Amino acid sequence: MKEKLIKQAVQVLSNNFQKEGFTIPCKGLYPFQWKWDSGFIAIGLSYFNISNAKKEIETLLNAQWENGFIPHIVFHNESDTYFPGPDFHQSNLHFLSSKEYKSTGMTQPPVTGFVLQEMLRIASDKEGMLQFIETQIDKVYRNHQYFYKNRDIYNEGLVYIYHNWESGTDNSPIWDDIWETMNPPEYDFERRDTTHVDASQRPSKREYDYYLHIIEIAKEHNYDDTKIAELSPFLVQDPLFNAMLIKSNSALIGLYTKLGENEEKISQLKKWQEKSIKAFNEKLYNENLGAYVHYDLRNGKQIEFVSSSSFSPLFSGIPDEKKAKEIVNTMLTKFGGEDKYLCASFDPTSSRFNPKKYWRGPVWINLNWMLYYGLKDYGFIDVAQRVKEDSIELIKNDGFYEYFDSRKSNNGGYGGSDFSWSAALIIDLLHI
Ligand code: GLC
């Protein structure tokens, strides 16, 4: 079974690899290079095609802007199967954007630092991989510098996202209260996603109006970070996003130490790290819920809902043992009934839970992958094992889907099929 699944996963990744040197998340629905997808994909590729794994990272980082920013989508290629494309986003509005590559003007969770560390763990030629890392690592460092300089407006160690697409958890119910504060125009546009996937599994038209409106505001100000911080109706400190930054900080410290002669960068990373972890625990923890939550910076309050992002700090060593116990308890109580696969993307006991709709409930393999390692690191071996086995079972039963129904009685795979990160991360889980 194991060998067969790995073989199929390798096939999915090979079919999705493009001649320009990157992997699309899946055919039709997502025809370009996505930032955090590329990171997860490079981990899977490292098991069977190191050269493509390196290319995956290189092509992403080649599109970095002069200010260190790495965009959420890089449009290396032409495609008319996706909206909104390069003509809508107009990254050239920003004076420091890449002159060579069109992209969006927003980013995605900063996974690249820890991805380089994973690639080194997996590679058998450690020397060769370290040499490669040496050619890329400063770009990742500059990306972290960008975040702390431009996205941490109160200099507290927590960075903001200005768009739900930056979170990676695009239509999570977490954002519903923010939409209530906005009243965007009804835009006239032709969606492409619902030509690939049933509309019941995707965001609504009205939700797209909100998404586009935030981008219009950013574009009016040429994607200027200061203006965005001042004016964007969506300004959130996201626990998943910040946990990824913190995990990547640690990875960069480890990698720079291995490479040697980078004292200044290491000491800066350690300063960021200390401040970020402290602020994270103070500001993003909710005692009543027993979980980390999002903080709505625009409206000055915590968003009091539990999602799979609430548990991602385990992956980054953020909670102390007491908090770790509390959040695992919350996970098991709300998300972990025997009739359910771990881990739904949103609280199954909430009225906002929808088991079929994208980030409003289904299980996602990338979150499960992080949770597996996080749980294991904190010694929750049985729960970690369950997350791993559930992930493998879902893919074995349903295929390499984008997301999965968490209800055992009603199981199914939804969204895009032959989805790259589901394939890539299952390869890793099957090897360990
Ligand atoms: C969806 C997901 C996002 C992912 C993208 C490409 O938009 O919400 O996290 O990066 O698809 O797979």
Side-chain angles (χ1 to χ4, degrees):
M1 179 288 277
K2 183 173 151 182
E3 292 313 317
K4 191 170 155 220
L5 260 192
I6 293 180
K7 220 168 135 200
Q8 289 170 343
V10 166
Q11 197 55 49
V12 168
L13 288 178
S14 305
N15 291 347
N16 288 344
F17 195 77
Q18 307 295 297
K19 62 179 183 332
E20 292 86 352
F22 71 94
T23 309
I24 52 171
C26 77
K27 291 214 170 80
L29 190 59
Y30 306 120
F32 306 111
Q33 181 173 35
W34 263 257
K35 179 185 178 190
W36 76 329
D37 295 64
S38 267
F40 295 125
I41 290 164
I43 293 172
L45 286 176
S46 299
Y47 280 97
F48 67 97
N49 192 334
I50 286 279
S51 147
N52 282 3
K54 291 177 182 168
K55 274 193 204 135
E56 189 76 41
I57 297 299
E58 262 176 339
T59 46
L60 176 74
L61 297 181
N62 283 347
Q64 182 167 39
W65 294 8
E66 282 169 47
N67 60 352
F69 176 90
I70 302 173
H72 118 279
I73 304 177
V74 186
F75 301 110
H76 294 283
N77 47 329
E78 301 281 327
S79 172
D80 58 3
T81 66
Y82 184 84
F83 174 85
D87 297 342
F88 180 85
H89 286 284
Q90 299 177 334
S91 54
N92 59 327
L93 288 172
H94 195 290
F95 74 115
L96 294 174
S97 63
S98 165
K99 305 290 171 283
E100 208 173 328
Y101 300 99
K102 292 179 185 171
S103 73
T104 58
M106 64 177 83
T107 188
Q108 260 192 333
V111 299
T112 326
F114 74 75
V115 166
L116 291 179
Q117 189 181 43
E118 293 295 295
M119 289 169 74
L120 183 62
R121 166 177 68 83
I122 297 162
S124 41
D125 173 13
K126 304 279 182 220
E127 214 27 64
M129 186 52 86
L130 261 181
Q131 275 168 16
F132 169 73
I133 290 172
E134 193 158 24
T135 64
Q136 306 297 315
I137 190 168
D138 284 346
K139 296 185 182 177
V140 183
Y141 178 82
R142 291 215 307 115
N143 186 230
H144 288 213
Q145 235 172 1
Y146 159 82
F147 281 124
Y148 284 108
K149 184 164 167 232
N150 299 290
R151 297 281 189 116
D152 181 11
I153 36 181
Y154 300 121
N155 198 12
E156 56 186 340
L158 295 174
V159 304
Y160 72 73
I161 53 172
Y162 81 86
H163 197 288
N164 51 305
W165 285 342
E166 292 203 310
S167 70
T169 60
D170 298 13
N171 72 332
S172 170
I174 299 286
W175 322 128
D176 290 3
D177 294 337
I178 300 177
W179 308 143
E180 290 289 308
T181 68
M182 290 169 59
N183 189 17
E186 301 242 358
Y187 292 103
D188 189 15
F189 58 92
E190 197 191 325
R191 277 174 72 173
R192 305 290 160 82
D193 57 330
T194 40
T195 62
H196 308 292
V197 169
D198 193 281
S200 66
Q201 299 164 24
R202 297 286 305 176
S204 66
K205 155 80 174 64
R206 191 62 185 145
E207 279 176 291
Y208 259 76
D209 288 335
Y210 297 116
Y211 307 167
L212 299 184
H213 189 58
I214 309 172
I215 302 174
E216 291 295 5
I217 295 172
K219 275 161 59 180
E220 257 169 51
H221 299 281
N222 301 325
Y223 291 114
D224 178 89
D225 289 300
T226 316
K227 280 286 172 199
I228 288 174
E230 204 181 303
L231 298 170
S232 176
F234 186 111
L235 211 67
V236 170
Q237 288 165 326
D238 179 320
L240 173 63
F241 196 99
N242 279 279
M244 298 300 90
L245 184 62
I246 288 170
K247 178 75 176 178
S248 285
N249 280 338
S250 313
L252 292 184
I253 293 171
L255 292 171
Y256 272 131
T257 308
K258 277 208 175 71
L259 292 168
E261 294 178 18
N262 279 290
E263 284 317 313
E264 241 171 73
K265 289 177 200 142
I266 294 176
S267 125
Q268 177 60 69
L269 283 158
K270 285 185 175 161
K271 277 189 207 139
W272 286 332
Q273 193 67 336
E274 201 181 317
K275 194 169 177 177
S276 294
I277 293 178
K278 188 161 176 281
F280 199 112
N281 278 308
E282 283 170 9
K283 195 170 182 184
L284 303 186
Y285 197 70
N286 184 299
E287 297 280 348
N288 292 335
L289 291 171
Y292 291 94
V293 294
H294 295 68
Y295 191 88
D296 178 346
L297 207 52
R298 174 59 65 233
N299 300 295
K301 56 176 187 207
Q302 284 191 345
I303 305 175
E304 300 197 343
F305 286 97
V306 188
S307 62
S308 51
S309 303
S310 301
F311 313 123
S312 62
L314 289 169
F315 181 62
S316 315
I318 293 167
D320 58 20
E321 276 193 22
K322 180 172 167 280
K323 280 203 179 75
K325 256 193 207 136
E326 274 171 20
I327 68 176
V328 173
N329 185 38
T330 305
M331 181 197 293
L332 291 177
T333 326
K334 286 184 184 287
F335 296 61
E338 297 225 321
D339 54 338
K340 293 183 183 67
Y341 288 109
L342 282 174
C343 177
S345 46
F346 193 72
D347 183 353
T349 66
S350 161
S351 58
R352 294 185 181 183
F353 174 76
N354 180 334
K356 284 197 162 67
K357 212 172 177 112
Y358 210 33
W359 289 97
R360 301 185 74 89
V363 176
W364 288 73
I365 298 300
N366 62 335
L367 259 296
N368 269 16
W369 180 84
M370 290 179 229
L371 293 180
Y372 167 74
Y373 280 104
L375 288 160
K376 199 161 122 228
D377 283 350
Y378 276 88
F380 298 99
I381 306 296
D382 293 349
V383 194
Q385 196 57 25
R386 184 172 156 199
V387 170
K388 175 176 161 178
E389 280 164 16
D390 282 0
S391 309
I392 294 171
E393 195 174 314
L394 284 168
I395 290 191
K396 199 173 62 153
N397 289 349
D398 303 331
F400 295 91
Y401 271 93
E402 187 181 5
Y403 40 95
F404 303 86
D405 201 315
S406 60
R407 299 167 302 173
K408 289 194 174 161
S409 58
N410 218 326
N411 180 237
Y414 309 125
S417 57
D418 287 346
F419 191 72
S420 295
W421 84 37
S422 300
L425 297 175
I426 268 312
I427 295 179
D428 185 58
L429 290 176
L430 287 166
H431 274 92
I432 44 165

